Amino acid sequence: MYILAIDTSCDETAVAITNNDVVLANVISSQVELHKKWGGVVPSLAQRAHRERIDQAIKEALQRAQLELSAIDLFAVTYGPGLAIALEVGVAKAKELAKQYSKPLLAVNHMTGHLYANLAKTKTGQSAVTDLQYPALALLISGNHTEIVLLKGPFDYQIIGATLDDALGEAYDKVARMLSLGYPGGPIIAELAKSGNPTVYPLPIPMRQSGDLNFSFSGLKTAVLHTIKRINPEGQLNTQQTKDVAAAFQQAAITSISQKLTRALTQYPVTQVILGGGVVANQALRQTLRKITKKAGAQLIYPNLKKLCTDNAAMIAVAAYYQWQAGHRLANPEQLDRDPIATVEEIGPR
Ligand code: KG4
Ligand code: ZN
């Protein structure tokens, strides 16, 4: 079946088309340039840009997939979590299309989408994983979420660890701002950290002694700020100092994630650890997590394309395909509403 999916949860206007779980088009209209000067996403600007760009993104996706709208069998949309006024744009458009073409509409949780990015197939049939083996563990790390999820069965999830404050992606972005590096900070810090020495300005490992599976990154963020001020009270660092601080921050963050995943793997022996979300594009993080999972006898799975780690709609279409197979149906598509604080544990609107 042909699925057209829309995600407008944050600052990417994303539209994708799949044939079941095979990605035919994955259009992402990034608003980075728009939000850059503000150092983060401005919701009202995001909403306006989504409105201006959504029709063009749909048109482009159809062109790439060489399909007409009338050929679409199922429409899917992210209903949450995300920015309320941004989500609204995608939800309204998907409802409009489903109604106009008298086709079913499915609502997909954005974090479920990040998980299902791993099942997205290329036209030649390649995917990060062919099927999920339950129980499995998922580590979802994005700009707004940092959570360890126990996957008990299809769409039967339990969050067993989460951040008590900032998400890791958010911490990357804020540290980048402190270092005057631009937005989004994750990829910039990751690049600088490669040639930095993490031992020059050592930082505390967050939540080392917490005895649970939760995370916290606001203390680490504050420690970075104090370190910057200690190096130079004016806050300006030279290139090598910037690289060393970036490396120290990244190392402390990755160590924290690793410690929690190690703990989770002892409590829940699984054969698969599935990564999802923008931050899992980070090579250093993957490398460290690969060692940990290997030691625990599990396989580490992550989307092979960077485009499938960060926000996109292909992951929403693939999740919708699996939801459809599992019998999910929207009782009343016209009443579908966005839910900015939806959690991955909920089965979602049915
Ligand atoms: O999943 P995502 O695209 O959007 C949300 O759902 O939030 O994640 C965006 C986050 C941003 O905070 C960005 O800085 C971070 O992912 N990110 C990275 C990397 N690439 C993107 N963080 C660390 N290393 C990267 N290579
Ligand atoms: Zn995301």
Side-chain angles (χ1 to χ4, degrees), residues 9 110-111 114 142-143 277-278 309-312 315:
S9 58
H110 182 78
M111 301 314 287
H114 275 305
S142 68
C309 291
T310 47
D311 285 352
N312 66 90
M315 67 184 196

Side-chain angles (χ1 to χ4, degrees), residues 195-208:
S195 43
N197 179 349
T199 62
V200 179
Y201 309 110
L203 292 165
I205 312 301
M207 301 288 275
R208 177 169 235 154

